[in-house]
Each structure stands twice: as C-alpha cells, then as structure tokens.
Amino acid sequence: MVDETRVHSARRYNYWLGGKDNFAVDRESGDLIAANFPTIRVTAVENRGFLRRAVEFLAGEAGIRQFLDVGTGLPTADNTHEVAQRLAPDSRIVYVDNDPMVLVHARALLTSTPEGRTAYLEADLREPGRILADDTLRDVLDLDQPVAVMLIAVLHFVRETEVAVSIVRTLLDALPSGSYVVISNATGDFADPETKARFDALMAAGKLDAFVRTADEVRELVDGLEILEPGVVPVSDWRADGESQPRPKPSEVAVYGVVARKP
C-alpha cells in the first residue's frame, strides 16, 4: 500500500523531473531541498543523462544484454530498457524498487520489445541477497552471463559507506567476470562552506535523507573492480562530448558517476 504521508525519493525525483506521480509531501520535501540547492533539477536531468550514456556504452561497445536496475524510480524518458533495447532489442532488464507505486507504474508503462524481456521486483536495496535469490530475476537473467547492475542515485540513501560497499560486493560477487556496475552518488566535494552548512543543518533536522560521499568514498564502492575512463567524475562529465555545451559546473550537479567492470 502506498503511504501518502511519507516522502519517497522516487516520487520526489519524479517531481524534480516535472512528472505528476508524486504527493504533496514529496513536493514539500523537493521544494525544501531546491530552496537550499537551486540547481537540483539540473542535477536530476544530468543524472538521467548519465544513465542514458552509460547504458548506451554497455549495450553498444561492451555488448551487455542483461541489466539489473536497483532503485529504478518512477518511469520517465529513457528508462534503462528503452535505451538498451534501442541498441539491442534482445536485452533483458529486471527493475527493483521498494515503493509499490513505482512497481504499479512500471508494470503498466515499461513494456519490452518482443525480442527482449522486462520484469519488476518489489524489494529493498539493503537486501541484495533477497534480490539475487528471487525466482523472477533468475527467470529473466542468466547469472552465468555478464550483467550490468545499475545503482543510479540510490546508494546515497545508505548512510554507512561500509554497508553500501557490502551491497555492491554482494551483487557483483554473484555475477561473472565481464559484469559491470554503474553508480551515481551525491557529493559535497564541490559545495561552498555556506551550502555545506545548510545541508548539514537539514541533515541534523532529519529533513534530508541522502548522504553525500567524497570521490575517494565513491571509489571505495568499486574497490577491486576496473574503473572505466574517465573515472569518478561529475555525472555531467562522464563521456559527455556529444552533449550540449557548455556542461554544467560540478557544483551545479553535485553528483559523482562511475562505471566499473568486474575483471
């Protein structure tokens, strides 16, 4: 059952992207964050662009045909399966989210090509073992073949970096060599002291649920994996030569992105 009294990150993100699948509590939270970080909608758009470019690389140059998208959020333009199946119609995608509203919309709107498959699980990022053991996932994905794990703007809802590292390792340990992980995570590395102080105050007041990480902490998430060029960079700068110029400033985006391969 959908709880309309509690903020959910997927619905708030939908609000920032101009969607209508959100409640008053999500809009209130979104406006509060926007008042302290006025470029948050730029962040949301650039994060989505990073997802698109990463999937284009994976389905194209890397030849990946299986995707596990954890924390998928509400459907919008250029969902993982749409990008992948444009390049490789036989791509298979499993979406995972812990918001029932997301799954209702996903089942209605995220339709696969005839050659490929999509499936949807209601599960929590913090229970990677349960995700991997799900019968639906194993029906759609062959875990003996490479899989790309998409963790877009979701690990920063896990406070402890060591817990986030454990989640990534559990997911990747179950997958063969040649699998990939794509991560984006909020950062305070580019914030001026005034902005940082405002966010620290929001965090202390319990009004902010995302936990920023430094570049080194993001690298820790993919320790032992092969980090692809250009490394850990603002999402707006990851292989963005073909995007409109000039690119946003790192301080306007405040999210790191990285793509890494399991050797």
Side-chain angles (χ1 to χ4, degrees):
M1 183 177 179
V2 177
D3 186 348
E4 298 185 22
T5 67
R6 297 183 63 183
V7 177
H8 194 281
S9 58
R11 300 193 302 262
R12 184 176 59 204
Y13 191 74
N14 173 265
Y15 172 56
W16 286 332
L17 287 172
K20 299 179 180 178
D21 298 312
N22 47 74
F23 300 125
V25 66
D26 306 307
R27 296 189 288 273
E28 181 181 353
S29 173
D31 288 342
L32 177 63
I33 294 173
N36 289 275
F37 187 59
T39 59
I40 189 63
R41 288 177 175 83
V42 174
T43 299
V45 170
E46 290 299 332
N47 191 60
R48 199 70 184 181
F50 168 65
L51 179 151
R52 172 179 51 79
R53 295 192 301 276
V55 175
E56 286 174 345
F57 161 76
L58 292 166
E61 183 179 333
I64 295 294
R65 296 294 179 267
Q66 302 189 113
F67 296 81
L68 175 58
D69 190 328
V70 183
T72 179
L74 285 155
T76 183
D78 281 341
N79 300 289
T80 296
H81 77 287
E82 293 173 320
V83 180
Q85 292 181 346
R86 278 202 298 265
L87 292 169
D90 59 334
S91 296
R92 290 168 287 169
I93 298 89
V94 172
Y95 289 103
V96 181
D97 205 284
N98 66 349
D99 182 2
M101 184 172 174
V102 170
L103 275 300
V104 168
H105 281 265
R107 292 189 177 102
L109 298 176
L110 301 181
T111 55
S112 174
T113 59
E115 302 94 329
R117 290 187 67 184
T118 56
Y120 322 96
L121 310 180
E122 186 176 340
D124 195 285
L125 167 74
R126 294 171 181 80
E127 299 179 307
R130 178 187 165 200
I131 293 170
L132 292 165
D134 190 278
D135 289 341
T136 298
L137 179 146
R138 290 180 172 270
D139 181 54
V140 175
L141 302 181
D142 179 356
L143 301 190
D144 291 326
Q145 299 298 318
V147 176
V149 179
M150 310 295 295
L151 296 168
I152 301 296
V154 64
L155 286 174
H156 53 218
F157 297 113
V158 178
R159 177 188 290 271
E160 305 85 357
T161 294
E162 59 269 26
V163 175
V165 168
S166 176
I167 290 168
V168 175
R169 288 180 179 170
T170 298
L171 292 170
L172 270 292
D173 283 350
L175 304 177
S177 174
S179 294
Y180 288 81
V181 63
V182 181
I183 294 171
S184 65
N185 199 109
T187 185
D189 282 0
F190 308 107
D192 58 64
E194 182 181 348
T195 300
K196 189 175 187 307
R198 289 200 305 268
F199 272 84
D200 287 345
L202 287 174
M203 188 73 71
K207 295 181 178 181
L208 191 63
D209 52 0
F211 303 96
V212 297
R213 291 194 166 90
T214 66
D216 285 343
E217 287 171 330
V218 173
R219 289 188 192 95
E220 188 178 347
L221 298 174
V222 292
D223 185 46
L225 305 177
E226 174 193 346
I227 298 178
L228 275 61
E229 293 293 338
V232 176
V233 296
V235 289
S236 51
D237 293 337
W238 195 89
R239 303 196 179 190
D241 291 345
E243 301 291 342
S244 60
Q245 303 293 329
R247 306 303 296 139
K249 297 176 183 177
S251 59
E252 295 175 319
V253 178
V255 174
Y256 279 128
V258 64
V259 179
R261 180 182 181 275
K262 182 176 180 177

